[in-house]
Amino acid sequence: EFDYDLSYEWFYNYFQDEHADRKNNHQDFTPVCVSNLMSEMLGCRSENDFTIIEEPAAGTGSTMIAHWYKTIRSHMFIWDYKPDDYLYKLTELSSKTVPFLLFNVMIRGMNALVIHGNSLTQEIENAYWVYNELNNPMGFSDLYIIPKERYHIFKEVV
């Protein structure tokens, strides 16, 4: 059904219909048109010859994907894209969406620090390093679980 199209988030409709917790958490998933707009406005900062993109409420990754595809990937030839040139710092509170966020980062071969926690209180439940070790523009990323004793390092990141 998706025809290998990585330009958008495949699970958006399912999560919006089944898992948006408007009543308890005032949670909603970002509409595609808003993700596209935000991808153009999303702040990036360059450090040490690579770009860092931060998103404090990443959900399943629709804004991250829109930014990755519309701002980065569609503006260069595929072989010119190097995953190591970009780092996404993504925080998500919901236990239901974090596995899908990780999947979306990994299948696109991106590099990211994914924090399962609260970006406001800086409480961390889990942390993950997703890394495209071969820096392959058509490859997948590997998933590494960051040990809890290292969470203190990420307090500034959240």
Side-chain angles (χ1 to χ4, degrees), residues 83-84 109-111 130-137 139-142:
D84 280 354
M110 301 163 70
N111 295 326
V130 183
Y131 184 58
N132 185 330
E133 193 168 341
L134 299 177
N135 201 25
N136 180 349
F140 301 119
S141 298
D142 294 315

Side-chain angles (χ1 to χ4, degrees), residues 11-28:
F11 307 105
Y12 171 81
N13 290 331
Y14 168 74
F15 272 91
Q16 182 62 29
D17 293 343
E18 301 296 327
H19 295 291
D21 191 353
R22 294 180 185 138
K23 183 178 179 183
N24 295 324
N25 295 335
H26 306 288
Q27 180 185 36
D28 211 344

Side-chain angles (χ1 to χ4, degrees), residues 67-140:
H67 182 269
W68 171 79
Y69 187 76
K70 294 181 183 310
T71 308
I72 299 169
R73 286 296 307 247
S74 64
H75 292 288
M76 63 180 71
F77 187 66
I78 190 160
W79 305 116
D80 293 334
Y81 170 70
K82 301 292 181 214
D84 280 354
D85 292 343
Y86 307 92
L87 174 65
Y88 286 83
K89 292 182 179 179
L90 308 167
T91 305
E92 176 52 37
L93 180 61
S94 172
S95 298
K96 294 176 185 176
T97 57
V98 168
F100 292 88
L101 176 61
L102 291 168
F103 171 82
N104 279 324
V105 173
M106 292 169 62
I107 198 169
R108 288 166 178 81
M110 301 163 70
N111 295 326
L113 171 61
V114 178
I115 297 171
H116 177 195
N118 189 320
S119 57
L120 297 176
T121 65
Q122 296 189 355
E123 295 172 28
I124 300 173
E125 195 168 319
N126 288 302
Y128 307 92
W129 173 240
V130 183
Y131 184 58
N132 185 330
E133 193 168 341
L134 299 177
N135 201 25
N136 180 349
M138 295 183 67
F140 301 119

